[in-house]
Structure formats: C-alpha cells, structure tokens
C-alpha cells in the first residue's frame, strides 16, 4: 500500500515537471537566466567566459549568505566580551569584513568558470582611473588599518589633532567619529593621522597634568605668590591632592614676574571648568593680598606736523 502511494506521488511530480517544462513562461524564465550580460575575451581574442544573469544572481545570493554568516560569527564572538572590547572588536571586524567580501566575490566568479585574470586585464584602464579618483579613500582605509595595528588610538581615548580636541566614539573604515568638548560630532578622515601630529591625552591614563600661567608685578613677595597659587589650585574639588600642586617660577618677564601652577586632574576632557575655578580663586586671593597682575604699557609720543613745519621754516631763515 505504501509503495503504491509513493509511486503515485512520483507520477504526479513528473506530471508537474512536464507541465512546467512545456510551459512557455518557464522557457522565457530559463532564457532570461541564460541571457549573456558580458563576454570575456583573452589577448588572442578567444572567449574566456560569459557572465550570465543566473551567474549574477548566484553571486548576489552568495554575498547575502556571507553577510548572514558574518553577522552570526560576530554575535557568537562578542557575546561574552565586555563593552570596551566589543567596541574594539567591531572596529577590527569592519575592516576584515570587506576583505572577506572581496575574497568571496573572486572565488565565486572563478568557480563559475570566469577567468578572473581576464576580468582584471579587460578592466585595467577602468581600475587605474578609479584608483586615481579614490586615492584619498585608499589612504583613509590604510590609515585606519595602521591605527588598529599601531594601537595609537582606541575608542574612548581623548585626542587632539589640528588643534581640535575630542573623545573617540567610533573608528570606522574611512573615518573616525569624535565628540568634542562642546558635544559636537567631529568626523576625522583617517589619513590625517599620518600627515599630522596626534596628541593622545589618555594614552598613559585618564589623569593629566594641567597648568595655568600668571604674571605678577615686580616687587611682589614671591613666596606669598607661591603660597596663594597653591591655595587656589587646591580650592577646586576636581584637583588631586596627590600629587600635590606645584608652582614654578618661569622667568623675569619684560613687565612681570612669570609663574606657572601645575596640578593633576582626573577628567582632562572637561579641564576648562576646574581651570576656570582656579583662575577665579587666583584673582580673588591676589586682590585680598594686594598682589597686582601687570599688563604691558607703552609710551606713545605724538609729534604734530604743524610744529615740524614751523621748526623747518625757522631753520631755513637762519641759514
């Protein structure tokens, strides 16, 4: 009984197949799949391969499957990682993903019988033009790889480049996204890391040594100035007690005695706020102890033109 049912199903399937094969719609669909999009020829003019619609659809299917596989691998490899390591892995994975796509694409083309060497030979001029047009893009990509290999910049670091300071939020294939102190998003092309000096404020940790320079009038009590500057630095709750603030006597200036107070902060990204507090404290303490902060003064002598003309006429008559 079971064998009869199986035979009946097979016959029905064969009938359906015959109907589909005899259908004109199916024939048109098959012809569409076999439609040649491009023919590849070698140096001797012989045909080396044909790119058909079905091959193109198959390549797209392979790339889509590759995307799902890569997403699954990324999810499996980052499931137990901490958030900081996840951000680093995502950055590295974004570079590796494009390399995998290129390899899969070339393998898929080669497996379909298309000579990859002939493809590159036929499109040499186009590739040269595209390469020249995308020169900066390639520089950005290579620079991004150097950033990861060199480990000079990580997500969360505070960097300064071309006078701009910000916290690194994301390192992408071509650019690095940075948030500035004013909460503005700054997009930095990666090639700027190779052509400019980069300052990493947090390479040695989150705490940094900050300074404030101030000048006092000649004749001021320098020991009292040192004491007041240390007191002003300690007045801010954001300044570390250890290492304690230090005062440096910089130089005898043109119109002032120049000092520098140095102190350590935990959050260097927001250093402008404690530095402002310390400046307010310095101004207040100096006023209370009658220590003046001088400013440059210049004597300007104005000679009127009329006086010059009178003096010139007198000299002429005498001669």
């Amino acid at each position: 009984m079971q064998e009869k049912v199986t035979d009946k199903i097979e016959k029905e399937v064969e009938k359906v197949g015959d109907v589909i094969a005899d259908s004109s719609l199916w024939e048109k669909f098959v012809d569409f799949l076999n439609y040649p999009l491009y023919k590849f020829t070698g140096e001797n003019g012989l045909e080396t391969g044909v790119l058909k619609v079905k091959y193109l659809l198959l390549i797209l299917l392979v790339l889509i499957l590759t995307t799902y596989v890569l997403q699954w691998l990324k999810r499996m490899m980052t499931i137990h990682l901490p958030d900081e390591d996840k951000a680093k892995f995502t950055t590295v994975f974004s570079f590796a993903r494009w390399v995998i796509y290129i390899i899969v694409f070339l393998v898929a083309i080669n497996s379909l019988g298309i000579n990859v060497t002939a493809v590159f030979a036929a499109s040499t001029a186009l590739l040269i033009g595209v390469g020249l047009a995308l020169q900066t893009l390639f520089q950005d990509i290579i620079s991004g790889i150097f950033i990861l290999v060199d480990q000079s910049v990580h997500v969360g670091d505070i960097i300064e480049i071309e006078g701009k300071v910000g916290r690194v939020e994301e390192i992408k294939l071509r650019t690095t996204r940075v948030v500035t102190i004013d909460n503005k998003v700054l997009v930095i092309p990666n090639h700027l890391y190779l052509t400019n000096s980069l300052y990493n404020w947090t390479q040695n940790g989150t705490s940094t040594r900050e300074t404030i320079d101030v000048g006092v009038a000649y004749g001021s009590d320098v020991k009292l100035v040192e004491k007041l500057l240390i007191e002003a630095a300690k007045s801010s709750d954001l300044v570390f007690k250890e290492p304690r603030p230090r005062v440096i006597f910089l130089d005898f200036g043109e119109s002032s005695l120049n000092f520098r107070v140095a102190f350590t902060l935990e959050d260097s990204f927001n250093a402008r706020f404690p530095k402002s507090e310390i400046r307010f404290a310095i101004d207040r303490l100096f006023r209370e102890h009658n220590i003046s902060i001088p400013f440059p003064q210049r004597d300007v002598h104005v000679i009127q033109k009329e006086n010059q003309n009178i003096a010139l006429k007198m000299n002429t008559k005498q001669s």
Side-chain angles (χ1 to χ4, degrees), residues 19-57:
V19 172
I20 294 175
D22 294 336
S23 174
S24 59
L25 183 61
W26 175 258
E27 291 177 357
K28 291 180 180 179
F29 181 69
V30 173
D31 293 339
F32 172 73
L33 292 178
N34 292 320
Y35 182 79
L37 296 174
Y38 189 80
K39 294 182 179 180
F40 301 97
T41 56
E43 297 179 355
N44 52 7
L46 298 177
E47 185 177 308
T48 58
V50 179
L51 179 61
K52 298 180 180 180
V53 174
K54 62 181 180 181
Y55 295 158
L56 183 61
L57 294 176

Side-chain angles (χ1 to χ4, degrees), residues 25-191:
L25 183 61
W26 175 258
E27 291 177 357
K28 291 180 180 179
F29 181 69
V30 173
D31 293 339
F32 172 73
L33 292 178
N34 292 320
Y35 182 79
L37 296 174
Y38 189 80
K39 294 182 179 180
F40 301 97
T41 56
E43 297 179 355
N44 52 7
L46 298 177
E47 185 177 308
T48 58
V50 179
L51 179 61
K52 298 180 180 180
V53 174
K54 62 181 180 181
Y55 295 158
L56 183 61
L57 294 176
L58 183 60
I59 293 173
L60 292 176
L61 179 61
V62 170
L63 293 177
I64 292 173
L65 291 175
T66 303
T67 301
Y68 282 105
V69 171
L70 290 175
Q71 290 178 352
W72 177 79
L73 286 175
K74 178 182 176 181
R75 195 180 305 112
M76 293 297 296
M77 297 177 71
T78 59
I79 190 171
H80 297 297
L81 291 178
D83 293 337
E84 183 178 354
D85 292 338
K86 280 183 181 180
K88 296 179 182 179
F89 180 84
T90 300
T91 304
V92 177
F93 189 82
S94 63
F95 290 101
R97 181 180 58 185
W98 291 104
V99 177
I100 294 174
Y101 277 140
I102 294 174
I103 294 174
V104 170
F105 178 75
L106 295 177
V107 171
I109 290 179
N110 190 62
S111 62
L112 294 176
I114 300 175
N115 191 349
V116 180
T117 305
V119 174
F120 286 122
S123 57
T124 301
L126 177 61
L127 291 175
I128 292 175
V130 172
L132 292 175
L134 301 179
Q135 183 177 3
T136 304
L137 175 63
F138 294 149
Q139 289 180 353
D140 291 335
I141 295 174
I142 294 173
S143 301
I145 296 174
F146 284 161
I147 292 172
L148 295 175
V149 174
D150 194 29
Q151 296 290 305
S152 58
V153 178
H154 300 85
V155 174
D157 286 351
I158 299 174
I159 63 172
E160 178 181 352
I161 185 170
E162 290 188 335
K164 301 178 180 64
V165 180
R167 179 182 282 112
V168 178
E169 295 292 332
E170 187 178 10
I171 302 175
K172 294 185 177 181
L173 181 66
R174 190 184 67 84
T175 59
T176 298
R177 191 169 66 90
V178 175
V179 177
T180 65
I181 298 174
D182 300 320
N183 200 29
K184 297 177 181 178
V185 176
L186 178 64
V187 180
I188 303 176
N190 288 336
H191 76 271

